[in-house]
Amino acid sequence: MEIMMRSPLREQIQIIVIGASAGGVDAIRTIVVGLPATLSAAVFVTLHIGSHKSDLPWLLGRLGTMSASHAVHGEEIRAGHIFVAPPDHHMTVESGKVCLTKGPRENMARPAIDPMFRSAARTYGANVIGVILTGGLNDGTAGLYEVKAQGGLTIVQDPSDAVGASMPKSAIANVAVDYVLTVPEIAPLLVQLVAERSPAEARKGGDQATGDSQEKGMTAQFTLNHPVAVTCPDCGGALRRSELGSLTQFSCHIGHVYTAEIMLAAQFLTMERSVEQAMRSLSERAELCRIMMEKAQEGEAISPARWQDAMSEAFDQTAPLRELLTREWIHPDGDGIVGQGSVITDLA
């Protein structure tokens, strides 16, 4: 049996992982301003940016405290530096290094918060401090649960202080959170916790292998759970249900992962695209009928009235479809609705 050797780096460094979505830039900047360059911890930040260009490292670096950069695959973890997940890549924390992957989206996001939290917790155990900030829905809750389960400390932004309260509320509802604070209170606490905690003493668990073994663990869990009568919105594959504390998750063989709440929103987006395609087909049918109506007026065999009736029929059938899209849809978490103009814009 292969024996995993603990590297000195793993014994000496502490890890702070921060996840945010809508409204997160200002919150992250406020925290970073309060972190000294001498902080004996490495800071990892995932913000939901999808594949869009991000200037977050530049914004954080110019604050004049800690250095910041987009993470580079394989680079060494070092204290006093902020590693930011680059666009369209998951960032994970392995033993002594940073890893990037364009693996399947989790909770409709890439980069997603859960992979970063999960990998840090499984590698560094009680040396991890997890921070959940403002955002919609609940990416990060499952990852924060892992941080807590591996002996790490958990901090959540006070929902009343957040632009998007859903992420903090979900974390508080599903994880035994250690601290609930406003954003200005978080940096002083992080500095205090890092100074007070001895990494060697803090270690508790966290020696689980990462990388391929994590994927094997996911596959093993997948095969043990029975499929549910719901398919993956991303790839159409069968989904398996799993429970993480009080949190329900769904995953497919490809690796797409959803919480139940984000699955609901993903289903709406799938329905929205299908309805929009139907509306487009009806509009194209109406346009074809209009062209043929004009041609019939020039003497074709079929009367212009028949083409006009077909055109009107196509237009009329778009009305119920438009109503389906524009109505308000109930979101079970009670923190809002899912409907046109409000569909997970922060999980691009």
Side-chain angles (χ1 to χ4, degrees):
M1 180 177 67
E2 182 180 356
I3 299 176
M4 177 179 290
M5 300 297 294
R6 293 182 180 179
S7 68
L9 178 64
R10 292 179 65 201
E11 293 292 344
Q12 296 170 3
I13 199 169
Q14 295 189 57
I15 303 294
I16 298 173
V17 285
I18 301 174
S21 190
V25 174
D26 288 340
I28 294 167
R29 291 179 67 186
T30 300
I31 292 173
V32 169
V33 167
L35 299 179
T38 56
L39 188 73
S40 58
V43 179
F44 294 83
V45 174
T46 289
L47 176 70
H48 286 158
I49 55 172
S51 58
H52 303 293
K53 179 183 176 182
S54 171
D55 292 322
L56 185 59
W58 177 80
L59 291 172
L60 300 181
R62 70 193 296 264
L63 296 176
T65 53
M66 301 178 70
S67 60
S69 65
H70 276 133
V72 176
H73 182 70
E75 73 175 307
E76 182 178 296
I77 294 174
R78 57 193 184 277
H81 186 76
I82 303 170
F83 300 88
V84 179
D88 205 29
H89 287 76
H90 294 310
M91 176 174 66
T92 59
V93 182
E94 308 299 344
S95 182
K97 65 180 181 179
V98 186
C99 292
L100 301 178
T101 175
K102 292 197 70 172
R105 289 177 176 82
E106 294 198 23
N107 294 320
M108 297 179 65
R110 189 175 59 217
I113 300 167
D114 279 341
M116 178 181 69
F117 276 47
R118 183 172 63 237
S119 62
R122 294 178 179 179
T123 306
Y124 286 90
N127 284 345
V128 177
I129 303 173
V131 182
I132 290 292
L133 302 175
T134 174
L137 296 176
N138 59 7
D139 185 32
T141 296
L144 197 69
Y145 182 93
E146 290 268 9
V147 170
K148 185 70 175 181
Q150 294 292 337
L153 291 176
T154 54
I155 302 172
V156 175
Q157 181 181 0
D158 188 329
S160 65
D161 180 56
V163 173
S166 295
M167 272 175 42
K169 283 183 177 180
S170 174
I172 293 169
N174 292 283
V175 181
V177 174
D178 295 304
Y179 303 93
V180 177
L181 304 170
T182 63
V183 166
E185 296 173 317
I186 293 177
L189 177 63
L190 289 174
V191 174
Q192 176 186 337
L193 291 175
V194 171
E196 291 177 350
R197 303 176 82 216
S198 166
E201 294 176 0
R203 292 200 58 81
K204 175 184 177 182
D207 278 331
Q208 298 182 30
T210 57
D212 291 341
S213 63
Q214 288 187 21
E215 297 302 320
K216 291 176 182 177
M218 184 192 74
T219 302
Q221 183 181 25
F222 186 94
T223 55
L224 289 173
N225 294 334
H226 294 293
V228 296
V230 180
T231 57
C232 176
D234 271 298
C235 66
L239 289 169
R240 260 67 172 180
R241 171 181 170 179
S242 61
E243 304 293 333
L244 192 63
S246 58
L247 193 71
T248 300
Q249 288 186 305
F250 298 88
S251 58
C252 70
H253 272 304
I254 297 299
H256 299 118
V257 180
Y258 300 86
T259 63
E261 293 79 7
I262 294 180
M263 170 67 73
L264 186 74
Q267 288 176 331
F268 178 86
L269 290 177
T270 300
M271 181 201 71
E272 184 180 52
R273 295 188 188 105
S274 299
V275 172
E276 288 173 344
Q277 183 176 1
M279 290 179 65
R280 185 177 68 249
S281 297
L282 287 169
S283 296
E284 291 174 356
R285 176 181 173 86
E287 176 61 15
L288 175 62
C289 290
R290 185 193 65 78
I291 293 171
M292 297 307 297
M293 179 184 69
E294 292 178 352
K295 186 174 181 179
Q297 290 171 345
E298 299 172 358
E300 289 294 315
I302 300 179
S303 69
R306 296 291 300 278
W307 288 113
Q308 185 174 17
D309 289 343
M311 179 182 68
S312 298
E313 179 186 53
F315 276 131
D316 290 343
Q317 294 305 314
T318 63
L321 296 178
R322 193 175 303 279
E323 168 65 21
L324 192 63
L325 287 180
T326 57
R327 62 166 291 180
E328 294 183 346
W329 290 79
I330 297 171
H331 197 56
D333 69 1
D335 198 36
I337 58 171
V338 176
Q340 186 168 346
S342 64
V343 183
I344 329 180
T345 54
D346 58 57
L347 289 183

